[in-house]
Amino acid sequence: MTKIVSLLILEVVFCLTFFTVSYSDINLIQTTCKKTPFYDLCVLTLKSDPRSSTADVSGLARIVADSVNAKAIATLNQISALLKSVKDPTLEKALEGCIVSYNTIIQADIPVAIDAIEKNNPKFAVQSATDAGNEAQACENSFAEKPSNSPIFSGNKAVHDLSVVLQSIASLLL
Amino acid sequence: PLFYKGWYHFFYQYNPHAAVWGDIVWGHAVSKDLIHWLHLPLAMVADQWYDKNGVWTGSATILADGKVVMLYTGSTTENVQVQNLAYPADHSDPLLINWVKYSGNPVLVPPPGILDKDFRDPTTAWLTSEGKWRITIGSKINKTGIALVYDTKDFINYELLDGVLHAVPGTGMWECVDFFPVSKTEENGLDTSVNGPSVKHVVKASLDDDRHDYYSIGTYHEKNGTWVPDEPKIDVGIGLRYDYGIYYAAKTFYDQNKNRRVLWGWIGESDSEAADMQKGWASVQSIPRTILFDKKTGTHLLQWPVEEIESLRLKSYEFNQVKVQAGSVVPLDVGPATQLDIIAEFEMDKEALEKTTGSNVTFSCSSSGGTIDRGALGPFGLLVLADDSLSEQTPVYFYIAKGSDGKLKTFFCNDQSRSSVASDVNKQIYGNLVPVLEGEKLSLRVLVDHSIVESFAQGGRTVITSRVYPTKAIYGAAKLFLFNNATEASVSASLRIWQMNSAFIRPYPNNKESQ
C-alpha cells in the first residue's frame, strides 16, 4: 500500500514539476505578448516555433524576426508572380514599388534587427522593425483601388503586424 | 573628436558595407576649420576578438606631454562590451592615420553587478587633485541610468570608485555619457580638467530608451567623484535636451586651438530605409556647435554654430521690419533657398500681447496640429524649403501661449507634417518651451541645407534639428517665406540671409586608398 502511495506521490510530483516547467515558458510568452498590440498573433507565432519553450525575451524577439522574414519572402514571391501576368500599368507600378519595399525588409531591416538583438543594441532592432512595418504599409497604400484591399493585402498585413510585434518586444530589451 | 597638430580630427561610427547600422568600424576625417573636411582611411576596424562585433564609441584624451590616447568600447566575439586602449602608431603624424591597439586589451570589463550589454562609451579623461586620470562610463541597474567612475594613472590599470557619478531612476541605459566643465563667467570653453568656484559641470547622457540627448547643469564633488544637479526637477534624462529634433549620441571636446568647447551630434535619417538603400548612404553630422553656460537663465546651455560656418557665406540679403499681418504669408526673395544661413528677429504687436485673454489650455509642439493650429499669439516664423504653392513647407516657428495668470510662455517648434508630399517620411512636429527673458526680442538662426534644417532660438537656448525630404521644394524651386498664422497679433520681422556655398568634402589628396 505504502509503495503504491509513494509511487503515486512521485508521479504527482513528477507531473507537477513537468507542468511547472512548461507553464513558466507559456507565462513568458503571455507576459511578453501582452506588451504588444497584437496579442493573439504574437502568441500564435511564438508557440508554433519550438525554440520558444527555452527562449528568453531576446530569443522570442529573434523568433518573431524570423517570422517577419519568412512572411516577407512569401509576399515577395507573390508580388513577383503577379508581376509576370500584370497588364494594368498602375497596378504594375504599385507592384514594382512593393518589390523595393520587400527587398528592403529582407535585405536590410530584418538582418539589422537580428544583428542588433544578438549584439545587445536593441534600439537598432526597434528602428528596423518600425521601418519594416512602414515599408509594408507603404506598399499597401500604393495600390490605387481604395477602399478595397490590394491583391497582396493579407501578406502586407501579416508583415506589418508582425513587425509591430517585433518592435514592441525589442523595446522590452532596451 | 580632437584638435591635434593643426588638424581637427573626427572619428565616427561607420558601416562600410551598407546604408544601415551594422559592421561598425571607425571612419576618420580631418579639417583645418571644422567645415572643409578631407576623408582619410578607416582608423580602426574589427580585427580583434575584443572588438570583432563592433568598434564602438570612444573618446580621446590629450596627455600632459601632448600625446593622445584613445579609449573605446569593443563588442567582443561573445557580445560582451569591454573598454580598449588604442594610440597613434606615429605621434608625429599630424593626420593620425594609423592606430595601434594595446596588446593587453581589454583594459576594462563589466564590473560585478553590471550586465555585459550595459557597459559602453568611455569619456575623455580629466585630472583629479591627486594627479590621477578619471573617466566615466554609462550603464544601468534595472531601469536606473547611471555613470560609473574609474581612476587610472596609465590608462591600463583602473580602480572603480565606490558609488557612481550620478544616477537617475527610470531613465534606462545611459549611452555616450559626457562630463565637462563650463565657465559661469567667461565666454570661452574650458579644458576638461578645469575645476573651481566659477565653474559648473554638465552631465549629459544619450538615453537608449527614447534616442534623445539630455543634459543637466550641477556641481562636481571631486573628492568622492559625484555630481549633484542644481535643479533635481531637470536632472539628467528628465529635463533639458540638447536638441528637440533628430539629434543623438552627441559629444563635446575641448578645442585648445580656439579655447572653446565644441559639440558634435549625429543626425540620422527620417525617411524609409528603402530610400536610404537606394541613395546608398544614411546619416549626417551636424554643423559643430560651441557650448556656453547661459548666464541669463542659469539653467540652460547655449549652442551656436561654429563661427567658421560663416566662411561659406556668399551673397547676403537684408529685410528690415517686414510686417506680417495675422493670417498671412510674405515671400522673401533670396534666390534659390536650399543652402541658407538665416538670422532673424521677431517683434510681436505689443497691444495684442497685452489684450489677449489667457487660458489654462496647455500647449506642446508635438501634440499640436502644427502650424494649422491657430492661437491668438502664434504660430509665426519662417517657412523653409517651401515651394511656390506651399504644397510643401517646413515651418520653423514660435508659438506664444498666455496662461490664465497672464504669464506668457514661448514655444519653439519645427513642423514636418507638410514638409513633403511623400508618404514614407517622418511628419512629426518637434519642439519645446524656450525661455524668453524680460526685454528679449524673439531671435532665430536657421541653417538650411537641402534636407537638413538646424534651428536655434534665443541664441541657442532651445535647438531643433530636422530632416525633411521635399519632392517639389528642391533646388531652384525651393523658396523662403515669412508666415504668421496667429488670429490676433501681427508680427514684424528683421532678417539677414546668406546664400551658402558647398563645403566640397573630398578624400585627402595623397590618399592612395581613396583613389
Side-chain angles (χ1 to χ4, degrees), chain A:
Chain A
M1 184 61 183
T2 359
K3 268 197 187 154
I4 299 169
V5 172
S6 317
L7 214 61
L8 208 64
I9 293 170
L10 208 64
E11 213 186 292
V12 170
V13 168
F14 177 71
C15 286
L16 268 173
T17 317
F18 184 72
F19 183 67
T20 317
V21 166
S22 27
Y23 182 71
S24 71
D25 344 299
I26 290 174
N27 216 357
L28 182 65
I29 293 175
Q30 284 175 343
T31 45
T32 304
C33 289
K34 273 190 187 139
K35 294 172 184 163
T36 78
F38 299 107
Y39 179 78
D40 293 332
L41 174 65
C42 176
V43 171
L44 185 66
T45 305
L46 290 173
K47 274 193 177 167
S48 48
D49 190 311
R51 293 176 290 174
S52 64
S53 59
T54 49
D56 55 8
V57 179
S58 197
L60 296 180
R62 176 59 197 266
I63 293 169
V64 177
D66 288 344
S67 182
V68 176
N69 200 45
K71 288 274 188 305
I73 291 172
T75 311
L76 182 62
N77 290 338
Q78 227 192 324
I79 298 167
S80 304
L82 285 169
L83 265 171
K84 287 202 178 103
S85 58
V86 72
K87 302 268 187 331
D88 180 293
T90 320
L91 189 57
E92 186 177 10
K93 194 160 178 236
L95 288 168
E96 278 167 0
C98 288
I99 297 269
V100 174
S101 297
Y102 275 87
N103 275 333
T104 304
I105 295 172
I106 295 161
Q107 293 168 20
D109 293 328
I110 295 304
V112 172
I114 290 174
D115 194 34
I117 292 165
E118 264 167 29
K119 295 199 163 90
N120 289 316
N121 210 324
K123 67 174 173 299
F124 293 107
V126 172
Q127 189 189 356
S128 290
T130 309
D131 189 70
N134 289 341
E135 303 287 357
Q137 190 64 57
C139 165
E140 183 61 27
N141 292 346
S142 67
F143 290 86
E145 306 105 59
K146 292 280 175 288
S148 58
N149 299 321
S150 80
I152 46 166
F153 174 74
S154 65
N156 280 334
K157 181 158 172 54
V159 172
H160 172 269
D161 294 354
L162 273 169
S163 296
V164 173
V165 170
L166 176 59
Q167 180 193 338
S168 308
I169 299 180
S171 300
L172 300 175
L173 298 169
L174 286 169

Side-chain angles (χ1 to χ4, degrees), chain B residues 69-305:
Chain B
V69 292
M70 195 72 83
L71 278 176
Y72 73 96
T73 300
S75 185
T76 71
T77 45
E78 305 296 306
N79 292 308
V80 177
Q81 292 166 14
V82 298
Q83 315 313 322
N84 304 306
L85 173 64
Y87 42 87
D90 178 4
H91 283 282
S92 63
D93 172 19
L95 295 181
L96 296 178
I97 293 190
N98 297 112
W99 288 78
V100 170
K101 296 176 185 175
Y102 170 58
S103 57
N105 276 334
V107 294
L108 277 174
V109 298
I114 297 297
L115 297 176
D116 291 348
K117 62 183 188 74
D118 296 335
F119 185 61
R120 54 186 182 271
D121 314 335
T123 61
T124 293
W126 64 94
L127 285 165
T128 67
S129 55
E130 293 173 11
K132 293 184 195 169
W133 289 103
R134 180 167 286 174
I135 61 167
T136 182
I137 303 178
S139 184
K140 69 173 160 100
I141 295 180
N142 295 322
K143 272 290 174 190
T144 297
I146 63 174
L148 301 164
V149 186
Y150 288 88
D151 280 358
T152 180
K153 289 189 185 152
D154 54 8
F155 290 89
I156 293 170
N157 301 290
Y158 295 81
E159 36 166 316
L160 174 64
L161 265 59
D162 278 329
V164 294
L165 181 71
H166 195 56
V168 181
T171 52
M173 176 69 189
W174 284 11
E175 297 193 296
C176 295
V177 168
D178 199 4
F179 178 73
F180 57 89
V182 286
S183 172
K184 289 202 288 191
T185 54
E186 307 309 306
E187 307 276 300
N188 49 253
L190 299 173
D191 178 284
T192 316
S193 297
V194 168
N195 201 358
S198 64
V199 161
K200 300 254 43 155
H201 277 79
V202 177
V203 172
K204 167 260 172 189
S206 292
L207 294 197
D208 204 19
D209 284 7
D210 68 5
R211 306 188 67 151
H212 294 136
D213 283 0
Y214 292 83
Y215 74 90
S216 186
I217 302 173
T219 306
Y220 169 49
H221 297 286
E222 209 249 31
K223 278 285 169 318
N224 56 6
T226 60
W227 172 93
V228 176
D230 287 344
E231 310 261 349
K233 285 210 174 99
I234 47 171
D235 205 343
V236 180
I238 61 172
L240 300 171
R241 283 164 52 176
Y242 272 154
D243 192 301
Y244 290 88
I246 178 167
Y247 187 88
Y248 192 65
K251 97 190 276 96
T252 65
F253 74 102
Y254 173 62
D255 171 8
Q256 71 273 26
N257 182 39
K258 286 196 165 178
N259 203 13
R260 56 187 172 176
R261 183 153 289 268
V262 178
L263 173 72
W264 284 95
W266 166 36
I267 304 174
E269 299 289 326
S270 50
D271 63 355
S272 69
E273 285 192 16
D276 294 346
M277 283 176 73
Q278 284 189 299
K279 73 199 196 210
W281 62 271
S283 293
V284 294
Q285 278 292 126
S286 66
I287 298 296
R289 304 169 183 172
T290 52
I291 290 237
L292 285 174
F293 174 70
D294 181 9
K295 289 183 266 193
K296 294 181 186 159
T297 60
T299 47
H300 285 60
L301 291 174
L302 296 173
Q303 298 166 57
W304 199 244

Side-chain angles (χ1 to χ4, degrees), chain A residues 112 115, chain B residues 12-27 42 55 280-282:
Chain A
V112 172
D115 194 34
Chain B
Y12 56 96
Q13 301 277 269
Y14 181 54
N15 180 347
H17 306 129
V20 292
W21 183 81
D23 293 342
I24 293 295
V25 298
W26 274 37
L42 300 178
V55 190
W281 62 271

